[in-house]
Amino acid sequence: MARKKFVYFFGEGTAEGNGNLKELLGGKGAGLAEMTNIGLPVPAGFTITTEVCGIYYKSSKKYPPGLREEVEKNLKRLERLVGKTLGDPADPLLVSVRSGAARSMPGMMETILNLGLNDKSVEGLAKKTSNRRFALDAYRRFITMFGATAMRVAREKFEEELEDVKERLTRTRLKKGRGKVFDTDINEGELVEVIRRFKKVYRDNTDKDFPQDPVVQLWGAIDAVVGSWMADKAVTYRRVEKISGLLGTAVNIVQMVFGNKGGGSGTGVCFTRDPNTGKNVFYGDILMNAQGEDVVAGIRTPIHLNDLKKKIPPIYRQLAEVRKRLERRYRDMQDIEFTIEEGKLYILQTRNGKRSPRASFEIASDMVREKLISKEEALLRIAPEDIERLFYPVVSPDIPSGELKEKFFASGIPAVPGAASGHIVLSAKDAEDWAAKGKSVILVRKETSPEDVGGMHAAKGILTARGGKTSHAAVVARGWGKCCVVGSEDLVIDYLQKTVSV
Ligand code: ADP
Ligand code: MG
């Protein structure tokens, strides 16, 4: 019997896999293969199948025989294609090592970027890019990600060191009173110190030196991704979302591209339609001069796709073309991750986008009209919960998100979905009295008790500072289908002064 194939290559217009192999290559791997096949600009790489992860857990955490050789062979192929070698001190190839199961589990598993950097190759990257600051910055990020995910060193330990350096900056180099210091304020010399400190954190917490051998780094990262499949949070997520029957996660090893090489670079996410309203408009944000993780960290404000259109029109046009082609191929709204490296566009991921109930209807019916899907298919795309949720009042999706952000006051745990507006009242009695006079009120309490039920019933909505999804307020409100937010812990409620502040 021929041996099973455990690794699938993609690059330069052809891939061994394709979009139909989601079970085997995971959603991300199948997407990368498919996008490569249809000629989209995808950085090259290879995918270790979900079967490998399955075998690993069935055979007391051992990889199947032959896997090492297959990975080695594919790495060589990638190096040949790109013309760079992993760990080369003069001009290193860098890769990301990314998880990806057949069903999307956002944020549940690990990704390591900039793998292949060590004390020597970081200087090679510095010379090759004529940007030592960029190279050093990539290295310190890699040490953090590798330390945190592959070796389970608490991320805060690295962050503390970085904060320490930043704090000194405020005292010395930067003018006093300038406010916040950004990561981008740290200069080359300071980054060298950050790296030295990070390596010490690594050593102190693992009893090992930070690995300089890129092959050791690579297998450490593969272990981390495969290991993240059984991490508590991933197991819990699958239970809660009722995801079962999957083989495991795939591991995607992808040539790094850089969105943090200056003003002509950036990284972003876009949806082929508006995921809130479902309208057929291009929707998305880009963070200029940034690497993937910065988007989540919210360090700087992203720019809108319309700004990209003005700033780098050819990239916008290319992205708009990608939008069209991916929708036609997948016949559904796509959520696309991309990076621009010095004016060149790369697509890093595509998947069916999550959407609001309203958008589900809008998109399904629009796609019937556009002849992308049949009526029957459109009906099957609407979940029963979508129909239920459609009847709750919602905050108008036409209000610009900027305006909502400006008016944002506090957040809490969503107990019962919906939206409500009215005067704030702080006691059940006030709620009943005011409601009797025809006023709309929101009952705001630290928590509710059975005595409050009359006022709760009279109110349009309920907000509490304490309690979770099973608190009194949540349970009672749920029974009525009344909009309710609980556990909004930042709220300071003073019953005597009748004030609510954060
Ligand atoms: P998730 O499954 O959480 O979406 P990803 O594997 O997509 O994780 O990686 C997270 C982010 O890291 C991506 O959105 C992208 O910005 C960045 N990233 C991953 N691989 C690469 C790569 N090869 N080059 C550049 N950036 C990358
Ligand atoms: Mg992603």
Side-chain angles (χ1 to χ4, degrees), residues 28 43 95-100 105-107 109-111 113 254-259 267-269 291-293 337-339 348-349 351:
K28 200 178 288 166
V95 294
S96 64
V97 179
R98 317 168 66 189
S99 58
M105 301 169 54
M109 291 183 301
E110 306 297 353
T111 289
L113 307 180
V254 186
Q255 180 199 357
M256 277 304 298
V257 291
F258 296 99
T267 182
V269 176
Q291 195 161 48
E293 45 172 358
E337 294 178 3
F338 63 93
T339 282
L348 293 171
Q349 188 173 352
R351 63 188 146 200

Side-chain angles (χ1 to χ4, degrees), residues 3-11 15-18 21 24-25 29-30 33 44-53 55 63-78 218-219 222 226 249-254:
R3 205 172 50 207
K4 253 198 178 132
K5 184 171 170 61
F6 291 129
V7 182
Y8 286 70
F9 193 84
F10 55 89
E16 292 174 340
N18 61 58
L21 297 179
L24 186 67
L25 302 179
F46 53 89
T47 304
I48 301 173
T49 64
T50 57
E51 256 173 11
V52 168
C53 182
I55 293 170
Y63 292 116
L67 178 69
R68 275 190 174 265
E69 292 72 27
E70 231 183 300
V71 168
E72 215 171 280
K73 225 173 58 201
N74 279 275
L75 179 61
K76 287 256 148 56
R77 186 169 169 193
L78 178 63
L218 181 61
W219 282 98
I222 293 172
V226 172
T249 180
V251 186
N252 301 287
I253 289 127
V254 186

Side-chain angles (χ1 to χ4, degrees), residues 138-163:
Y139 193 23
R140 67 102 184 157
R141 288 168 193 260
F142 172 48
I143 298 171
T144 308
M145 275 184 271
F146 189 87
T149 56
M151 302 301 289
R152 292 166 201 269
V153 181
R155 222 170 254 273
E156 298 80 53
K157 298 208 167 135
F158 295 106
E159 272 154 22
E160 271 165 26
E161 297 294 329
L162 191 64
E163 284 309 313

